[in-house]
């Protein structure tokens, strides 16, 4: 899983020109909390705990259903519920989405993943994306879209697609991104350019601090994954590169089995959050200022979290919700 764009428009302002209270706001999204926990929910069985949406830990504020499917039409999305999850009908799945929303959660549809390949590289494909994404939101009750594309991102047309979707969905849209570390090293990358171009509708960029090699921090030094410095020095690039602190989150695996590399103990995540928001519990890297508005943290996945007894969400969740 790689890029997630969640535009919840909470604390970021409504889409330009979008009416605030017309029928477009029918996505019925509760406001995303100032500090939020995001978890990806697996619509497949890969050895992690198979769970219905109703079983997702209550600490999660944003639940990203993984994944949408591509159709032969460029940019177009569809979604098929995997029978392995155990729902007797699609209506049961839709009811669980509605129940999570009634509990104040945002349930969004993730686009991409390791094997997902949705091509958005023309005006026609941008429109196909926006039309089909909005249709799925209406059909299932999703409150937004997560962009988790791992290759082939074209900032020009992905921006057009997301702006069109925002115009259709209205100010309740939740929009998230989960880029890989290499995708956010510079504001010149297609991912970073997209994030900045949709800043007015973007909820949070939860970069994936895993399955990564060593990367440059905002101080120009090289940091290896698995440390508090890797989390803080790389987050600093986004924080100083133009994103609002409310649009920055830390993405990590929920367990050692959740990713090929990059797992960190939940205490390291808590330390990184403290360092960025309070200036405490830093490693060798200490940012020049604090970012108390930091959105929070993300994990892959709620299923791997459940496999480990929800240890990640039980530890990181309360800490996120108690940030300044």
């Amino acid at each position: 899983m790689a890029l997630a764009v969640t535009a919840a428009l909470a604390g970021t302002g409504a889409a330009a020109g979008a009416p605030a209270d017309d029928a477009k706001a029918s996505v019925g999204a509760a406001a995303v909390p100032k500090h939020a926990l995001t978890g990806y929910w697996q619509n497949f069985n890969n050895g992690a705990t198979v769970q219905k949406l109703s079983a997702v830990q209550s600490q999660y504020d944003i639940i990203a259903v993984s994944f949408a499917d591509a159709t032969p039409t460029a940019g177009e999305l569809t979604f098929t519920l995997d029978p392995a999850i155990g729902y007797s009908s699609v209506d049961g799945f839709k009811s669980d989405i509605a129940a999570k929303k009634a509990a104040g959660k945002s349930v969004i549809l993730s686009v991409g993943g390791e094997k997902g390949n949705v091509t958005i590289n023309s005006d026609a494909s941008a429109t196909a994306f926006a039309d089909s994404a909005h249709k799925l939101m209406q059909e299932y009750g999703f409150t937004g879209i997560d962009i988790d594309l791992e290759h082939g991102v074209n900032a020009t047309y992905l921006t057009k697609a997301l702006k069109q979707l925002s115009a259709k969905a209205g100010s309740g849209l939740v929009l998230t991104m989960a880029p890989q570390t290499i995708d956010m090293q510079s504001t010149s990358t297609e991912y970073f350019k997209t994030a900045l171009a949709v800043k007015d509708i973007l909820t949070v960029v939860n970069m994936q601090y895993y399955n990564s090699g060593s990367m440059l921090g905002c101080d120009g030094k090289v940091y290896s994954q698995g440390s508090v410095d890797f989390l803080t020095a790389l987050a600093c690039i986004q924080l100083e590169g133009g994103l609002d602190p409310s649009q920055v989150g830390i993405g990590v695996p929920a367990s050692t089995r959740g990713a090929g590399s990059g797992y960190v103990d939940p205490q390291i995540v808590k330390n990184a959050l403290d360092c960025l928001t309070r200036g405490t519990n830093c490693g060798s890297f200490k940012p020049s200022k604090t970012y108390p508005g930091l959105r929070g943290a993300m994990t892959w996945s709620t299923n791997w979290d459940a496999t480990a007894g929800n240890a990640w969400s039980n530890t990181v969740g309360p800490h996120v919700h108690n940030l300044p």
Side-chain angles (χ1 to χ4, degrees), residues 57 254 266 305-306 308-316:
Q57 231 270 46
D305 188 25
N310 288 319
W312 190 87
S313 55
N314 280 331
T315 302
V316 179

Side-chain angles (χ1 to χ4, degrees), residues 262-314:
Y263 172 77
V264 293
D265 187 275
Q267 183 59 50
I268 298 296
V269 181
K270 290 168 61 176
N271 289 348
L273 293 169
D274 285 343
C275 178
L276 292 169
T277 61
R278 297 185 172 99
T280 61
N281 295 323
C282 299
S284 61
F285 172 80
K286 187 169 184 176
S288 59
K289 62 181 179 181
T290 57
Y291 308 91
L294 194 81
R295 181 67 78 175
M298 170 276 278
T299 199
W300 177 268
S301 61
T302 65
N303 306 74
W304 285 117
D305 188 25
T307 303
N310 288 319
W312 190 87
S313 55
N314 280 331

Side-chain angles (χ1 to χ4, degrees), residues 70-77 111 117-134 147 149 152-165 168:
T71 77
T73 300
E76 187 177 57
L77 305 176
V111 178
N117 184 23
V118 179
T119 302
I120 307 169
N121 60 4
S122 66
D123 286 330
S125 57
T127 297
F129 175 92
D131 288 348
S132 59
H134 187 239
I147 302 298
L149 300 170
V153 171
N154 181 306
T156 298
Y157 292 106
L158 181 54
T159 296
K160 287 186 175 183
L162 296 174
K163 294 281 190 176
Q164 288 182 47
L165 176 59
K168 290 174 176 293

Side-chain angles (χ1 to χ4, degrees), residues 177-224:
M177 297 171 106
Q180 300 170 100
T181 52
I182 190 66
D183 295 317
M184 300 300 283
Q185 281 277 281
S186 164
T187 55
S188 65
T189 67
E190 293 299 294
Y191 266 127
F192 213 143
K193 286 194 292 187
T194 301
L196 293 175
V198 298
K199 185 177 177 179
D200 61 326
I201 59 170
L202 177 63
T203 303
V204 62
V205 175
N206 290 303
M207 190 174 74
Q208 299 176 51
Y209 292 82
Y210 51 94
N211 294 339
S212 168
S214 298
M215 291 285 154
L216 290 172
C218 67
D219 58 354
K221 296 181 180 179
V222 177
Y223 294 95
S224 299

Side-chain angles (χ1 to χ4, degrees), residues 65-100:
V65 171
S66 309
F67 293 100
D69 300 308
T71 77
T73 300
E76 187 177 57
L77 305 176
T78 186
F79 177 77
T80 303
L81 188 64
D82 191 331
I85 305 304
Y87 281 102
S88 58
S89 69
V90 174
D91 286 342
F93 176 66
K94 293 177 180 177
S95 294
D96 278 356
I97 292 176
K100 282 294 184 183

